[in-house]
Amino acid sequence: CIVVEWEYHEKTGKRVPKNLSSSTLERLVKGGIPKSFSNASRGWLLESEVEIVINYALELASRGFPLTHRRLKECVDNICRARLGDAFPTSGLGKQWTNRFVEKYSDRL
């Protein structure tokens, strides 16, 4: 990793923003996937469902009825239950899920 960082600096004149992790690099070389891809695949909503929820929230807000965190949770719980059935927890999403969702998509919401 140090050699790659040095070569990058020699070619570009810039430093690598973060130190490369040799374990991460080794995992990726062996066919592993980046954590961001792995984490995205474990989310409750599919990308198409995220778009639907965001568009729904924007439509309601434009009509003067913005979604509360409680209503957002109910909406997403219903979507997940419809798609996942018994594989979705009976309690629904976690307590902080809507906060993380709003933060993640704050540029659109």
Side-chain angles (χ1 to χ4, degrees), residues 65-85:
F65 302 101
L67 281 177
T68 62
H69 282 268
R70 180 178 170 184
R71 293 286 297 141
L72 174 60
K73 180 186 181 320
E74 290 172 1
C75 175
V76 176
D77 280 348
N78 289 335
I79 290 170
C80 291
R81 261 192 212 97
R83 182 169 46 82
L84 300 170

Side-chain angles (χ1 to χ4, degrees), residues 10-100:
E10 287 294 311
K11 286 182 181 180
T12 65
K14 300 176 184 176
R15 299 245 178 243
V16 175
K18 291 171 125 180
N19 290 338
L20 292 174
S21 164
S22 57
S23 60
T24 299
L25 188 58
E26 183 179 5
R27 181 176 43 81
L28 294 174
V29 166
K30 290 180 178 178
I33 60 172
K35 281 187 180 180
S36 58
F37 290 171
S38 176
N39 290 341
S41 69
R42 290 184 295 194
W44 286 117
L45 293 176
L46 302 174
E47 286 185 40
S48 58
E49 293 168 337
V50 168
E51 293 303 315
I52 290 168
V53 171
I54 290 173
N55 290 335
Y56 179 63
L58 294 175
E59 176 65 24
L60 286 178
S62 73
R63 293 175 183 219
F65 302 101
L67 281 177
T68 62
H69 282 268
R70 180 178 170 184
R71 293 286 297 141
L72 174 60
K73 180 186 181 320
E74 290 172 1
C75 175
V76 176
D77 280 348
N78 289 335
I79 290 170
C80 291
R81 261 192 212 97
R83 182 169 46 82
L84 300 170
D86 291 338
F88 188 67
T90 55
S91 61
L93 302 169
K95 291 181 180 181
Q96 295 300 314
W97 190 92
T98 60
N99 290 326
R100 289 190 305 272

